[in-house]
């Protein structure tokens, strides 16, 4: 073989290698671009799912705040309320319960039996008791009611000595850790302590409210925090959140948790907790530069007033000041109703000295419920129904007014556990990972020291040894979000069908995408991207038109009263949480029973206040059917649980597992 031939062969080999390298590079770029697009689409789906969760969460909170108007209306119109149970009036509109001040009335008669094998606290408490509690709760042990009551009484005693805003100092050598919402998620608190250490004289913490509700271990979190606070009152700081409120607890789970875990002494624990909540500080100020509050601010936020407001008079953030005859400071809507008005002496049984003024109440509402937004100005928080949205200009204005540099708040779930906005002047910190669904969000906490930039630490609790792939996590989150959205849709089926039919002039059973999306938003008011979500909710024809009845496919409300009209069933399902709270308030002894007459009276008030068009005869018939034993009493909790949504997929899975 000649040299020329060898050179030709070498050139050929080089050319082939170059071509292959170019093809590999092109393939890598194609795969890279595909993966970027795929990842972007997955993250968009995750974002839509989180938007669904958040929109429905805020809509529920809005409904909860509307209850405050109902209870004011109830007080004005329910003549039987004072005659039958004056404690209801005191509970809703009075200050703290006077009858239960003496700890001996609670603790002295609660014995700890020798058979009890849970943690035993020693008073005065020490660091050993914190360790003891943490270890016991890791093993899912329950703290005995006697210790719970003693901790609550001790906590209240110390809290009463504290100002509305706790002032703390840091230094380059002494940091402070700030945690946001925990919402009963004990695993998150334990993970924080595992990574960051237990509270101590050299390891300070601020817990920024919403310790309870939603999760399954709210009482365990409270006990760890309160015991740590009692051992280190100068190094562990607690701020009140909007869920440190007995009315919120009735809806979001903490009340049920207490009554399930403490069947004998649960009522006493709840009564003392109502009192403890009112004494929690409403904020912390770090180094005279950083304001830490649960929610946010408004253009009228007055920190001087908030420093001096008598915070213990704020029984519930959902209870505005009682409308008193001739009181110009209240402006609650009055409605006519076919019922006897309360006597004058009942309406004025709560004096102005026992409650906040309307202006003070609004100031506290703003700092517990408000959210920051990118838009300038201050405007009503329409999503939650309470507090306001505040823009970057409001942040600058309020911080400058009080010579502050930064606002740290919580109150909102963030995908990464924290978010910085308003030119770095507002930080949101949220410490409950997997808040909506496993994999939905990370949790985070902040470490601060004087003169140093905040440092963020993120985490995510997982039960598996390795995190599932992103597509599996997104599928699970999205499926869960669509599921609760469909439950919201079926609860408004009658209203939605009416809205669809108004748009469907030809009675074809079909609507354009824009008509369907308009009807969905007009009835549900969730501010969701309906066009993007349509593929998961409805079927379309080849022209892209939507078969609007497919909005309700494979799902229905279980009806325990077969003869009841669909409108009544949907109403009962839609308002079941509100009704349960109302009936629980009437049921002051937590027996789970109310009389048939109370049910009728309260429903008629509810019907009138919420402008619900259900005939009286339907309610009367419903009451008769609810009285299963014909003894004049209704087990309302069990009855309302009977109204639940059935998904076709659930039924198929159950039948499949049955065959297996």
């Amino acid at each position: 073989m000649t040299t020329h031939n060898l050179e030709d062969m070498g050139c050929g080999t080089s050319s082939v290698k170059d071509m292959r390298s170019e093809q590999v590079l092109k393939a890598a770029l194609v795969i890279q671009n595909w993966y970027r697009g795929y990842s972007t689409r997955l993250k968009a789906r995750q974002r839509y799912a989180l938007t669904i969760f958040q929109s429905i969460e805020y809509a529920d909170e809005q409904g909860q705040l509307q209850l405050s108007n109902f209870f004011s209306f109830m007080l004005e119109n329910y003549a039987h309320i004072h005659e039958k149970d004056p404690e209801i009036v005191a509970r809703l509109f009075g200050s703290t319960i006077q009858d239960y001040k003496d700890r001996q009335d609670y603790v002295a008669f609660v014995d700890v039996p020798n058979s009890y094998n849970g943690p035993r606290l020693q008073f005065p408490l020490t660091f050993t008791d914190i360790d003891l509690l943490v270890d016991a709760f890791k093993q899912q042990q329950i703290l005995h009611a006697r210790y719970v009551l003693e901790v609550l009484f001790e906590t209240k005693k110390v809290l009463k000595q504290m100002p509305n805003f706790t002032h703390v100092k840091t230094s380059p050598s002494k940091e402070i850790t700030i945690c946001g919402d925990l919402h009963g998620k004990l695993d998150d608190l334990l993970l924080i302590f595992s990574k960051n250490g237990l509270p101590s004289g050299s390891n300070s913490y601020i817990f920024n409210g919403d310790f309870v509700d939603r999760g399954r271990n709210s009482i365990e979190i409270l006990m760890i925090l309160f015991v740590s606070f009692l051992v280190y009152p100068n190094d562990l700081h607690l701020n009140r959140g909007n869920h440190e409120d007995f009315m919120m607890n009735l809806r979001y789970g903490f009340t049920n948790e207490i009554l399930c875990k403490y069947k004998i002494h649960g009522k006493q624990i709840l009564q003392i907790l109502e009192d403890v909540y009112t004494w929690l500080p409403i904020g912390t100020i770090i180094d005279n530069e950083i304001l830490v509050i649960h929610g946010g601010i408004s253009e009228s936020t007055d920190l001087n007033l908030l420093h001096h407001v008598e915070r213990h008079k704020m029984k519930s953030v959902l209870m505005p000041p009682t409308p008193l005859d001739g009181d110009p400071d209240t402006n609650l809507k009055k409605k006519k109703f076919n019922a006897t008005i309360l006597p004058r002496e009942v309406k004025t049984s709560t004096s102005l000295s026992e409650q906040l003024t309307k202006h003070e109440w609004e100031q506290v509402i703003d700092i517990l419920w408000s959210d920051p937004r990118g838009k300038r100005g201050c405007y009503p928080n329409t999503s939650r129904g309470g507090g306001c949205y505040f823009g970057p200009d409001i942040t600058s204005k309020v911080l400058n007014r009080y010579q502050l540099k930064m606002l740290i708040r919580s109150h909102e779930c963030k995908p990464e556990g924290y978010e910085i906005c308003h030119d770095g002047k507002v930080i949101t910190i949220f410490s409950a990972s997997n808040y909506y669904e496993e994999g939905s969000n990370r949790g985070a906490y902040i470490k601060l020291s004087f003169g140093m930039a905040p440092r963020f630490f993120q985490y995510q609790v997982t039960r598996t040894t390795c995190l599932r792939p992103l597509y599996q996590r997104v599928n699970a989150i999205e499926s869960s979000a669509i599921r609760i959205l469909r439950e919201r849709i079926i609860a408004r089926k009658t209203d939605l069908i009416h809205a669809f039919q108004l748009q469907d002039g030809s009675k074809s059973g079909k609507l354009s995408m824009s008509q369907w999306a308009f009807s969905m938003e007009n009835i549900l008011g969730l501010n969701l991207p309906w066009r993007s979500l349509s593929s998961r909710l409805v079927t379309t024809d080849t022209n892209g038109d939507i078969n609007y009845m497919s909005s309700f496919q494979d799902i229905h409300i279980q009806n325990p009263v077969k003869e009841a009209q669909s409108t009544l069933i949907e109403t009962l399902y839609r308002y079941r949480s509100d009704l349960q709270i109302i009936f629980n308030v009437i049921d002051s002894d937590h027996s789970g029973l109310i009389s048939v007459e109370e049910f009728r009276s309260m429903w008629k008030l509810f019907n009138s206040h919420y402008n619900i068009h259900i005939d009286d005869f339907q309610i009367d018939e419903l009451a008769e059917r609810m009285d299963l034993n014909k003894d004049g009493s209704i087990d309302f909790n069990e009855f309302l649980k009977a109204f639940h949504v059935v998904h076709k997929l659930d039924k198929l899975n159950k039948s499949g597992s049955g065959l297996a």
Side-chain angles (χ1 to χ4, degrees):
M1 187 177 288
T2 64
T3 305
H4 179 72
N5 288 337
L6 286 170
E7 286 176 357
D8 284 347
M9 288 178 68
C11 287
T13 303
S14 176
S15 177
V16 169
K17 284 181 179 178
D18 288 344
M19 287 178 63
R20 285 178 178 170
S21 296
E22 188 176 341
Q23 288 174 339
V24 168
L25 183 61
K26 283 182 178 178
L29 288 172
V30 168
I31 292 170
Q32 187 181 61
N33 287 334
W34 172 85
Y35 183 75
R36 282 176 178 168
Y38 172 71
S39 180
T40 300
R41 288 191 297 275
L42 278 179
K43 287 178 179 175
R45 285 170 55 195
Q46 184 179 30
R47 193 165 57 250
Y48 286 147
L50 291 176
T51 301
I52 292 171
F53 281 125
Q54 197 165 66
S55 294
I56 291 176
E57 176 190 4
Y58 291 175
D60 283 342
E61 288 184 342
Q62 186 177 111
Q64 179 75 348
L65 283 164
Q66 288 170 356
L67 269 180
S68 66
N69 290 331
F70 172 76
F71 284 120
S72 298
F73 178 66
M74 180 184 83
L75 182 68
E76 292 180 0
N77 292 283
Y78 187 24
H80 307 293
I81 196 169
H82 189 255
E83 300 164 13
K84 289 198 172 186
D85 197 347
E87 186 181 329
I88 297 173
V89 179
R91 188 177 189 205
L92 286 174
F93 300 99
S95 56
T96 54
I97 299 172
Q98 299 297 321
D99 296 338
Y100 304 115
K101 293 294 185 183
D102 188 356
R103 78 189 279 163
Q104 291 306 312
D105 289 345
Y106 287 93
V107 178
F109 304 105
V110 183
D111 292 322
V112 181
N114 293 331
S115 58
Y116 170 70
N117 57 7
R120 293 176 180 267
L121 303 182
Q122 298 290 326
F123 291 85
L125 298 165
T126 66
F127 181 82
T128 305
D129 294 293
I130 304 174
D131 256 339
L132 189 69
L133 273 188
V134 169
D135 289 341
F137 292 155
K138 283 179 182 177
Q139 299 170 43
Q140 301 181 341
Q141 293 180 340
I142 302 292
L143 183 63
H144 194 276
R146 181 186 177 101
Y147 298 124
V148 173
L149 289 167
E150 288 207 89
V151 168
L152 292 178
F153 274 109
E154 285 295 319
T155 301
K156 177 186 164 186
K157 186 168 73 174
V158 178
L159 286 174
K160 287 178 72 173
Q161 309 306 313
M162 298 189 64
N164 292 348
F165 288 84
T166 311
H167 288 255
V168 301
K169 295 283 186 183
T170 66
S171 66
S173 61
K174 185 175 182 180
E175 293 183 307
I176 194 164
T177 301
I178 306 170
C179 300
D181 300 37
L182 285 166
H183 278 302
K185 290 182 169 288
L186 179 62
D187 287 344
D188 286 293
L189 180 61
L190 297 179
L191 184 57
I192 291 169
F193 287 161
S194 173
K195 292 165 68 73
N196 195 60
L198 288 170
S200 69
S202 58
N203 193 23
S204 298
Y205 279 90
I206 298 171
F207 287 91
N208 198 27
D210 280 12
F211 321 125
V212 301
D213 279 334
R214 303 188 189 279
R216 294 179 297 178
N217 298 107
S218 294
I219 190 62
E220 286 79 10
I221 286 177
L222 272 189
M223 287 298 101
I224 291 174
L225 295 184
F226 286 169
V227 168
S228 300
F229 167 71
L230 291 171
V231 177
Y232 300 108
N234 298 317
D235 299 288
L236 187 132
H237 311 283
L238 303 170
N239 291 342
R240 186 176 185 177
N242 64 307
H243 278 262
E244 279 66 64
D245 184 304
F246 81 95
M247 292 289 288
M248 294 294 283
N249 298 163
L250 282 167
R251 182 189 290 263
Y252 293 106
F254 186 34
T255 298
N256 283 339
E257 178 188 331
I258 293 292
L259 294 176
C260 287
K261 290 179 179 177
Y262 299 97
K263 291 182 170 59
I264 298 175
H265 303 289
K267 178 183 174 183
Q268 290 93 327
I269 291 170
L270 289 170
Q271 285 170 337
I272 303 306
L273 262 173
E274 288 181 25
D275 215 3
V276 173
Y277 287 158
T278 67
W279 289 104
L280 284 167
I282 53 178
T284 306
I285 297 176
I286 305 172
D287 297 323
N288 295 320
E289 293 183 345
I290 300 171
L291 175 65
V292 185
I293 51 178
H294 180 71
I297 53 177
S298 73
E299 60 187 349
S300 61
T301 292
D302 184 343
L303 291 184
N304 293 326
L305 182 151
L306 286 167
H307 266 82
H308 297 100
V309 73
E310 294 181 85
R311 68 181 187 273
H312 65 280
K313 292 182 179 180
M314 180 65 104
K315 182 81 184 243
S316 167
V317 294
L318 301 178
M319 289 292 100
T322 315
L324 301 175
D325 290 345
D327 178 14
D329 201 27
T330 55
N331 187 28
L332 300 174
K333 188 186 292 185
K334 294 188 177 181
K335 297 186 178 182
K336 291 183 179 179
F337 181 68
N338 187 21
T340 309
I341 301 298
L342 282 171
R344 184 181 184 89
E345 63 271 17
V346 175
K347 294 177 74 174
T348 59
S349 62
T350 302
S351 69
L352 281 173
S353 64
E354 294 174 337
Q355 59 183 340
L356 298 179
T357 66
K358 184 169 181 287
H359 179 60
E360 291 171 334
W361 178 78
E362 288 171 343
Q363 288 277 315
V364 178
I365 288 287
D366 282 344
I367 66 169
L368 294 181
W369 282 86
S370 297
D371 296 308
R373 288 295 181 266
K375 178 182 171 184
R376 290 173 59 85
C378 183
Y379 41 103
N381 192 328
T382 52
S383 295
R384 295 186 192 268
C388 70
Y389 293 129
F390 60 98
D393 55 323
I394 302 300
T395 295
S396 296
K397 177 182 171 184
V398 172
L399 292 181
N400 290 339
R401 186 188 303 157
Y402 297 103
Q403 293 83 51
L404 298 168
K405 294 183 179 179
M406 185 184 293
L407 166 64
I408 296 179
R409 41 90 63 179
S410 302
H411 196 43
E412 287 184 288
C413 176
K414 297 298 178 183
E416 296 302 314
Y418 73 94
E419 185 177 84
I420 304 171
C421 64
H422 293 186
D423 302 318
K425 293 179 181 177
V426 174
I427 296 175
T428 297
I429 189 73
F430 195 85
S431 299
S433 67
N434 309 307
Y435 179 58
Y436 296 117
E437 183 70 31
E438 187 172 355
S440 64
N441 66 285
R442 302 170 84 177
Y445 57 88
I446 307 172
K447 290 185 79 71
L448 280 173
S449 60
F450 185 76
M452 304 293 288
R455 294 187 295 144
F456 300 90
F457 296 82
Q458 298 166 288
Y459 54 85
Q460 191 153 20
V461 171
T462 177
R463 292 182 178 84
T464 57
T465 52
C466 59
L467 207 58
R468 288 183 297 171
L470 179 62
Y471 78 91
Q472 288 185 1
R473 283 180 279 145
V474 170
N475 284 343
I477 296 165
E478 186 180 54
S479 296
S480 181
I482 293 296
R483 180 187 179 91
I484 65 167
L485 179 57
R486 287 172 64 78
E487 291 176 4
R488 203 84 180 190
I489 291 168
I490 199 67
R492 301 299 299 271
K493 182 178 179 180
T494 301
D495 295 333
L496 283 168
I497 290 174
H498 180 66
F500 294 152
Q501 289 174 342
L502 285 176
Q503 298 275 348
D504 180 20
S506 62
K507 299 182 179 180
S508 65
K510 296 180 180 179
L511 294 176
S512 68
M513 178 69 75
S514 59
Q515 288 175 319
W516 175 81
F518 173 81
S519 299
M520 294 293 281
E521 184 56 37
N522 192 41
I523 297 299
L524 297 175
L526 293 174
N527 194 27
L528 290 174
W530 294 107
R531 292 169 182 268
S532 301
L533 295 170
S534 61
S535 62
R536 297 295 307 270
L537 297 171
V538 288
T539 58
T540 56
D541 63 16
T542 53
N543 297 320
D545 290 330
I546 288 173
N547 174 8
Y548 55 75
M549 290 305 291
S550 66
S551 304
F552 317 108
Q553 63 189 0
D554 301 335
I555 186 171
H556 70 271
I557 299 173
Q558 183 68 37
N559 179 8
V561 185
K562 301 301 180 187
E563 299 82 357
Q565 296 180 18
S566 59
T567 308
L568 175 59
I569 298 306
E570 288 171 26
T571 302
L572 281 167
Y573 176 75
R574 186 160 78 248
Y575 290 106
R576 68 196 185 285
S577 295
D578 299 299
L579 291 168
Q580 195 161 15
I581 292 169
I582 292 166
F583 295 146
N584 268 301
V585 168
I586 297 172
D587 173 32
S588 55
D589 65 353
H590 297 291
S591 67
L593 300 173
I594 58 171
S595 71
V596 170
E597 186 56 38
E598 283 174 325
F599 173 81
R600 286 195 180 106
S601 299
M602 291 309 301
W603 177 265
K604 288 174 183 178
L605 279 173
F606 191 82
N607 207 9
S608 172
H609 185 74
Y610 282 82
N611 200 23
I612 299 167
H613 303 293
I614 304 294
D615 294 333
D616 286 351
F617 79 86
Q618 289 189 62
I619 300 306
D620 292 339
E621 186 176 331
L622 184 64
E624 292 298 326
R625 293 188 175 277
M626 289 172 70
D627 183 12
L628 301 177
N629 300 326
K630 305 304 175 188
D631 61 354
S633 297
I634 293 171
D635 186 340
F636 58 89
N637 286 311
E638 286 304 313
F639 181 78
L640 291 172
K641 281 180 192 173
F643 291 88
H644 62 276
V645 167
V646 176
H647 296 259
K648 184 178 179 182
L649 183 61
D650 293 343
K651 296 178 78 173
L652 290 174
N653 287 342
K654 283 180 182 176
S655 56
S657 61
L659 288 170

